[in-house]
Amino acid sequence: MNNLMSRRGLLKLSLGATASLCLPRFLDEELQARELAKGDRAMILLWMNGGPSHLDTFDLKPNHPNGGEFNPIRTSVSDIDICEHLPKLAKQMEHVALLRSMTSKEGSHERGRYLVQSGYLPLPNTVHPALGAVISDELGDSSSAIPDFVSVTVPSLGAGFLGMQHAAFHLPNPEAKPPNASLPPHVNDDRFRRRLGMLKSLEEGFIATRKTQDAKSHFEVYQQGVRLMQAKELAAFDLEQEKDSVRDAYGRTPFGQGCLLARRLVEVGVKCVQVSLNGWDTHLQNFSANRDQMGILDPAYASLLNDLSERGLLDNTLVVCMGEFGRTPKINVLGGRDHWPQTWSASMAGAGIRGGQVVGKTSPDGTDVADRPISVPDLFATCCQALRIDAEKQNHTAAGRPISIVDANGMAVKELFS
Amino acid sequence: MNYIRFHIFGILVCLATPVFAQNPVFAQNTRSHTPEAVASFIDQQMAATWKAERITPSNPCLDHEFLRRACLDIVGVIPAEKAVSQFLADSKPNKRELLVDELLKTETYSRYAAVTWSNLLVGRGKDAEALLHGRFRDWLYEQFRTDKGFDQIIRKVLTATGTALEEPAVLWALHHDTKPENLTGAASRVFLGTQIQCAQCHDHPFEERTQEEFYGMAAFFARATESRVLFVQRVSDTNSGEIRLGGMPTGKIVPPQFTDGTKPARSRYTRRQQLANWMVDPRNKQFAKAIANRVWSRMLGRGLVDPVDDFRSTNAAVYPEVLQRLADEFIRSGYDMKFLVRTISQTRAYQLSSRPSRNNKDDETFFSKAAIRRLNPEQMVASVVMSTGLVNDEKTWDNPVFRLLLQVVLNDFIFVFDNMDETTEVSEFRGTIAQALMMMNSKHITNATKLNLLSPLFRKLAACRTVNDKIDLLFRITLSRSPTNAELKRYAQYFQGAKRSSDQLAVCEDLYWALLNCNEFTFNY
């Protein structure tokens, strides 16, 4: 930041500006695609929006009335069973660690989402960043042509006090190109060059008289925008480049295609992708709804793990699947399950997490944690360890209040790394 | 209108205090409480500090700069092109003062005040919830339009009962889940300017704030309850309910206690009413200070206490006497929001240029130059609309269909401009890439800048006889100023190669696009 205030910084900025705003074919030399370098960690969060039923997905209770309609099936790991409606994922279980003893206290969607996406309870005056924003801050590269944090389908929690530059670049539809990243049809390259030329001189006039960081930053962001419009990495957003068979394998759903997109984005250096699947809020007709949900989740999650591991990306990419809470073990009169933060399941894979294991367990009726409770801060500390982020590092809010990346109570789940 | 209001106020004062009315000292006092007098006091305080700090303040801002700034701050939109030429041609020495008076009389002022306070109190609202927010904004609009004292508005917000169908003001409680801890945090932050909620979990290590203080205030909200039938929520006050220290079931019951340490007397009022009575009592200067500081911050880009919600002994006001005086006069005016705006707009600090002087480039403390602030989404959308020439009178802004359509556009902008946090006013000057892309390529900006036979701007440009006239027009509708000679020359060059009228039109479109995208348009400076 500060070097922009210096004369040298200003000079650099204006030279950069000349290059980026005046050339139509823009900056090829600067656009060395950020291939995923060895050791670079990234995260894909599969967000199960609404709170998935743990007893119907990863923590079945076949011999208890709370267990419901579904049967367990064997997986690629001999002593781990999951739901029969996740057959493809079952074959990838050697990559996956199940955390069956997640527990929290926030039973409303909004507060639960805030907690499980930021690692902190909501406070009236402090807005905590989503984990993806932290990752953008810690692992991202501010000079890259593509954003470090992308959210697909449902928007992620914001960047809070870390600032807009770390907020997720949101893509409502994974099959559409990023919004507004291409020129309107009536504006050809010549006109765009003319526009940028005019813009540049207007910007410089204002910067020259005001000399403030804010006026310069405006210009900087426009340069980033233009870089993105012409970035080679933009091709990563084009799912048409994948074979039909690959696209089919993930499932032709927004979530499935979102997972495929997540793999493609991580490949070009995006540090965090959140892909969300709506529809887990199964207050009624829990079982038919869950069958449908798993029909979407199973091919997407399984193909993602398979693809990442085949491409050698799973060693450095953390995949986490969870929602804001679990659901009541007792089935209600409408055949549904309600909100249940006391017990829920999360699953993790990649980035040094030892797959093929289960950590923690719930009581036979599924209502309580029977062994090794794991809190949300514990989970966040675990993610940080996998991503090689210092969980104890403190950031400061606008009011100067120090806040550590993970709440001080959070302890990484050691078993996952052994 | 203004005269009449003043007159009515005068009559009320006479009725209430007949002895003072006949007292010549009082008459003189009245004169010393006008916006001019208060602004002049503020100017003296600041000038003395600038001198002591050896800061040369920036020059006064130019007329077009004042016009744009005042319009954005008071009515939330850049001036219409006509208003620019009128204001520049006006030779009255007090035209800036008159402009502010005119702006404060408009419905647009009330509408914009409602939007800004509503955003702060309850956020912008999403999806179905947004309808309730619309009702809340309309309610606030009515309060500002009818010149309700700000104390009365906040009293209502703090105490409202009923369903959102009958009483839009309950949205404030509903927005905070009617939870004592949330309401306490929000009320102290906005109405007292303090971050008391830090004490929710622990005593503040350096300040005199304690958990007891937090829960003492929370106790006033302990009996507010929320009930719900289908989609209709109701807020009511019950006769029982206590708050326990630390929010723990085992904690001791904390009795209600105001943040100044006093306790409420036994009374027939509900606990929330007791809190509201104390809050807006003229003896509680902290309320007036917090509000005056917020209005100052909105108009000058930074609070006298900054951040605006962090009043504490180790974060003192930069000009304590100025804040004290503003608060006192705000109370004296009957918590008249327009009085605050009028007063602040007449200060020298408000009317300074944002161009630095020879030695104040780095001053971020003493208000010796105008701050540069990014337009908020509401200002941005309204200003783009204004530039198109689509709106010719105030009635259009108020047309319900127009407002509905505008809201649709606004939602798109809010989505990319403001996905950080709705309730804080932390300005994030960097903007985002998504925002830049939105301004460069979105259908809204494309539709605004594509000139066809039906667009008002097309017709105006066609009526321009020379290229210079066209450039001048495009500058005035966007930047509210005429181009400099150098600018005229520079942009005229683009027209030289454009022989056909369609080519000329394309150059106009491109320049219009560049003007809407440039930093000067994006900032209130």
Side-chain angles (χ1 to χ4, degrees):
Chain A
M1 266 320 213
N2 272 335
N3 81 325
L4 283 174
M5 299 296 278
S6 70
R7 286 194 47 158
R8 225 179 105 243
L10 187 61
L11 187 70
K12 231 167 80 188
L13 176 75
S14 54
L15 286 175
T18 318
S20 68
L21 288 181
C22 290
L23 295 174
R25 279 210 41 232
F26 330 112
L27 317 169
D28 273 349
E29 65 279 17
E30 279 185 39
L31 286 189
Q32 288 149 1
R34 288 179 307 151
E35 304 293 331
L36 190 68
K38 262 214 161 68
D40 264 11
R41 300 264 150 135
M43 173 169 170
I44 296 173
L45 170 60
L46 307 181
W47 180 254
M48 304 294 107
N49 209 28
S53 168
H54 52 304
L55 294 190
D56 301 311
T57 51
F58 294 112
D59 188 12
L60 272 71
K61 304 286 178 187
N63 301 317
H64 193 281
N66 287 351
E69 296 177 6
F70 300 149
N71 295 310
I73 47 165
R74 311 307 302 270
T75 67
S76 59
V77 178
S78 58
D79 51 352
I80 301 178
D81 292 352
I82 59 172
C83 178
E84 58 182 323
H85 297 298
L86 297 169
K88 297 192 171 83
L89 188 60
K91 295 197 180 101
Q92 301 290 330
M93 201 45 60
E94 70 270 22
H95 299 304
V96 182
L98 295 180
L99 285 64
R100 284 184 175 157
S101 52
M102 291 303 306
T103 179
S104 57
K105 292 197 174 93
E106 292 301 329
S108 82
H109 290 293
E110 206 171 334
R111 293 175 64 87
R113 254 168 231 152
Y114 188 99
L115 170 66
V116 184
Q117 288 189 22
S118 76
Y120 279 89
L121 288 173
L123 284 176
N125 301 32
T126 303
V127 183
H128 299 93
L131 181 58
V134 173
I135 293 171
S136 158
D137 189 25
E138 293 295 319
L139 306 181
D141 170 4
S142 57
S143 66
S144 71
I146 47 163
D148 293 309
F149 178 23
V150 177
S151 67
V152 187
T153 64
V154 181
S156 147
L157 193 72
F161 55 74
L162 287 182
M164 288 294 260
Q165 64 270 36
H166 297 298
F169 184 82
H170 180 63
L171 213 58
N173 175 1
E175 298 187 68
K177 299 266 175 60
N180 307 318
S182 52
L183 291 174
H186 72 292
V187 179
N188 58 27
D189 275 358
D190 283 348
R191 283 191 69 180
F192 189 53
R193 191 187 325 156
R194 183 163 75 196
R195 288 180 168 200
L196 294 176
M198 291 169 164
L199 178 64
K200 178 170 176 281
S201 55
L202 286 166
E203 295 269 330
E204 284 170 350
F206 192 72
I207 290 171
T209 56
R210 263 67 184 187
K211 304 182 172 65
T212 71
Q213 182 58 43
D214 308 331
K216 288 174 211 156
S217 297
H218 180 263
F219 200 23
E220 213 180 300
V221 171
Y222 265 76
Q223 288 172 268
Q224 288 179 4
V226 174
R227 279 211 299 268
L228 176 63
M229 286 170 68
Q230 293 135 5
K232 273 195 284 194
E233 292 96 329
L234 212 51
F237 289 95
D238 183 8
L239 297 182
E240 298 284 325
Q241 296 183 0
E242 293 286 337
K243 280 194 222 127
D244 270 351
S245 58
V246 174
R247 296 191 65 181
D248 292 342
Y250 278 82
R252 294 277 184 168
T253 59
F255 179 76
Q257 299 301 297
C259 285
L260 175 56
L261 178 63
R263 188 263 284 161
R264 291 177 59 85
L265 292 178
V266 165
E267 277 177 305
V268 296
V270 174
K271 294 296 170 201
C272 183
V273 186
Q274 172 171 335
V275 191
S276 302
L277 174 58
N278 272 332
W280 293 100
D281 197 17
T282 52
H283 289 285
L284 37 107
Q285 297 180 348
N286 175 71
F287 298 99
S288 63
N290 263 289
R291 199 176 297 119
D292 295 347
Q293 290 294 102
M294 284 185 270
I296 300 167
L297 174 65
D298 185 47
Y301 195 174
S303 302
L304 178 65
L305 292 176
N306 186 44
D307 247 13
L308 288 174
S309 86
E310 274 184 4
R311 287 160 190 254
L313 292 168
L314 197 55
D315 294 341
N316 291 324
T317 308
L318 175 68
V319 182
V320 177
C321 176
M322 60 184 174
E324 59 261 44
F325 37 62
R327 305 206 74 86
T328 40
K330 201 165 160 22
I331 298 155
N332 70 25
V333 289
L334 301 169
R337 296 189 194 263
D338 304 314
H339 303 176
W340 192 257
Q342 282 88 327
T343 48
W344 47 284
S345 298
S347 56
M348 301 178 93
I353 299 283
R354 181 167 61 82
Q357 63 168 327
V358 174
V359 179
K361 70 175 184 195
T362 52
S363 55
D365 62 358
T367 53
D368 296 301
V369 171
D371 182 34
R372 210 214 181 291
I374 303 172
S375 69
V376 173
D378 293 341
L379 181 85
F380 271 60
T382 309
C383 292
C384 282
Q385 183 168 336
L387 295 165
R388 297 181 181 149
I389 290 174
D390 177 7
E392 288 172 26
K393 184 187 152 182
Q394 294 192 326
N395 289 307
H396 290 83
T397 65
R401 183 172 160 202
I403 294 184
S404 54
I405 285 182
V406 178
D407 188 288
N409 301 324
M411 300 286 285
V413 180
K414 286 198 295 284
E415 303 90 301
L416 292 172
F417 298 98
S418 56
Chain B
M1 166 77 182
N2 199 29
Y3 167 77
I4 295 171
R5 252 176 28 75
F6 185 69
H7 199 67
I8 291 172
F9 179 68
I11 291 169
L12 287 175
V13 170
C14 290
L15 289 173
T17 53
V19 182
F20 289 159
Q22 268 127 64
N23 186 332
V25 176
F26 179 75
Q28 202 186 341
N29 276 346
T30 307
R31 265 200 301 282
S32 68
H33 298 292
T34 58
E36 301 80 59
V38 179
S40 144
F41 170 82
I42 293 173
D43 291 350
Q44 285 164 23
Q45 295 285 326
M46 294 193 149
T49 302
W50 292 333
K51 199 170 163 203
E53 298 284 336
R54 292 162 198 243
I55 298 173
T56 310
S58 294
N59 289 326
C61 66
L62 303 171
D63 275 342
H64 74 81
E65 293 171 341
F66 181 82
L67 173 68
R68 188 175 188 272
R69 185 183 297 171
C71 285
L72 284 167
D73 287 336
I74 299 173
V75 292
V77 61
I78 57 168
E81 184 225 340
K82 266 193 310 215
V84 177
S85 15
Q86 270 168 16
F87 189 70
L88 296 182
D90 190 341
S91 59
K92 285 194 275 309
N94 61 341
K95 67 177 177 181
R96 294 189 177 188
E97 206 180 310
L98 293 175
L99 169 76
V100 171
D101 283 344
E102 282 306 310
L103 292 174
L104 287 174
K105 277 183 216 162
T106 60
E107 308 270 294
T108 324
Y109 157 74
S110 307
R111 186 78 65 199
Y112 185 60
V115 166
T116 48
W117 285 101
S118 167
N119 287 351
L120 176 66
L121 292 171
V122 296
R124 287 193 173 89
K126 291 187 195 100
D127 308 328
E129 215 195 16
L131 295 173
L132 285 184
H133 284 69
R135 284 263 292 155
F136 187 77
R137 279 196 297 272
D138 288 347
W139 172 76
L140 273 177
Y141 163 73
E142 207 46 36
Q143 311 306 303
F144 286 111
R145 198 183 64 80
T146 54
D147 286 318
K148 282 268 161 51
F150 200 70
D151 56 332
Q152 296 310 309
I153 300 177
I154 296 312
R155 179 193 295 277
K156 192 72 180 171
V157 165
L158 278 169
T159 60
T161 58
T163 66
L165 306 182
E166 334 155 334
E167 178 52 81
V170 296
L171 185 65
W172 183 73
L174 293 176
H175 181 72
H176 296 98
D177 299 332
T178 324
K179 280 179 87 166
E181 289 88 348
N182 295 1
L183 292 166
T184 302
S188 58
R189 186 172 71 88
V190 179
F191 308 138
L192 297 172
T194 55
Q195 305 252 6
I196 186 179
Q197 81 293 338
C198 306
Q200 183 176 343
C201 316
H202 52 80
D203 290 355
H204 201 292
F206 311 116
E207 305 287 335
E208 54 277 27
R209 256 167 232 145
T210 64
Q211 258 189 306
E212 297 248 3
E213 194 182 329
F214 178 85
Y215 286 98
M217 180 144 161
F220 288 105
F221 294 110
R223 296 178 175 183
T225 57
E226 185 180 317
S227 55
R228 181 184 195 125
V229 176
L230 197 55
F231 50 82
V232 179
Q233 289 156 295
R234 174 186 294 277
V235 176
S236 44
D237 293 291
T238 57
N239 291 324
S240 60
E242 299 294 346
I243 194 90
R244 288 173 186 274
L245 196 65
M248 299 297 193
T250 50
K252 65 163 182 169
I253 289 177
V254 184
Q257 179 178 322
F258 303 116
T259 50
D260 61 5
T262 59
K263 291 188 166 66
R266 278 187 164 277
S267 72
R268 63 195 159 81
Y269 294 113
T270 65
R271 285 200 181 173
R272 286 197 297 156
Q273 285 167 340
Q274 290 170 5
L275 178 68
N277 289 343
W278 169 83
M279 185 75 82
V280 303
D281 189 306
R283 284 169 298 181
N284 174 23
K285 300 263 196 261
Q286 188 53 36
F287 173 69
K289 277 189 185 174
I291 301 303
N293 188 49
R294 260 186 199 279
V295 177
W296 179 277
S297 168
R298 280 180 185 169
M299 295 179 68
L300 284 106
R302 215 168 58 250
L304 291 159
V305 171
D306 201 77
V308 289
D309 51 11
D310 201 15
F311 279 73
R312 60 191 151 85
S313 52
T314 48
N315 184 34
V318 53
Y319 294 102
E321 304 81 4
V322 169
L323 184 57
Q324 183 69 54
R325 181 72 190 267
L326 272 176
D328 288 343
E329 300 292 346
F330 182 43
I331 294 171
R332 197 189 154 89
S333 73
Y335 297 91
D336 177 3
M337 194 49 75
K338 289 178 178 169
F339 173 87
L340 271 186
V341 174
R342 228 175 242 127
T343 303
I344 294 171
S345 70
Q346 288 188 34
T347 61
R348 182 173 166 199
Y350 184 75
Q351 300 198 10
L352 289 175
S353 167
S354 56
R355 289 182 171 86
S357 70
R358 59 184 173 83
N359 69 3
N360 74 351
K361 189 172 86 64
D362 296 321
D363 172 28
E364 302 236 318
T365 310
F366 296 107
F367 300 98
S368 69
K369 65 177 165 50
I372 291 188
R373 297 163 280 155
R374 183 176 285 278
L375 301 194
N376 61 38
E378 284 86 1
Q379 289 171 327
M380 178 58 93
V381 169
S383 297
V384 170
V385 170
M386 183 64 98
S387 76
T388 62
L390 203 61
V391 178
N392 287 312
D393 53 22
E394 226 199 306
K395 285 210 185 72
T396 315
W397 291 115
D398 250 18
N399 179 309
V401 178
F402 185 83
R403 278 173 50 208
L404 216 62
L405 294 171
L406 196 63
Q407 189 66 42
V408 174
V409 178
L410 185 60
N411 288 343
D412 282 355
F413 272 75
I414 287 169
F415 187 69
V416 294
F417 267 60
D418 213 44
N419 59 1
M420 183 164 135
D421 172 29
E422 292 175 332
T423 53
T424 59
E425 290 178 308
V426 178
S427 46
E428 181 50 66
F429 280 108
R430 206 184 144 89
T432 61
I433 298 172
Q435 183 180 330
L437 292 175
M438 174 95 180
M439 289 301 295
M440 285 196 279
N441 304 323
S442 72
K443 65 171 190 274
H444 300 307
I445 299 299
T446 302
N447 289 340
T449 53
K450 207 167 167 187
L451 301 175
N452 58 46
L453 283 169
L454 294 175
S455 67
L457 187 54
F458 178 88
R459 279 176 274 134
K460 283 192 209 163
L461 283 166
C464 291
R465 271 175 303 156
T466 65
V467 161
N468 281 5
D469 285 351
K470 287 183 174 141
I471 298 171
D472 188 65
L473 176 66
L474 289 167
F475 267 72
R476 274 184 293 124
I477 60 168
T478 50
L479 305 185
S480 311
R481 66 173 175 94
S482 287
T484 61
N485 284 335
E487 284 169 332
L488 264 185
K489 225 170 113 189
R490 180 176 306 125
Y491 300 109
Q493 285 172 0
Y494 287 97
F495 287 87
Q496 277 168 11
K499 293 283 172 272
R500 287 176 305 177
S501 65
S502 62
D503 295 339
Q504 294 246 332
L505 192 65
V507 177
C508 286
E509 286 182 349
D510 291 349
L511 181 54
Y512 183 25
W513 177 94
L515 287 161
L516 287 182
N517 273 281
C518 74
N519 41 18
E520 186 172 340
F521 184 79
T522 310
F523 291 108
N524 183 357
Y525 58 94

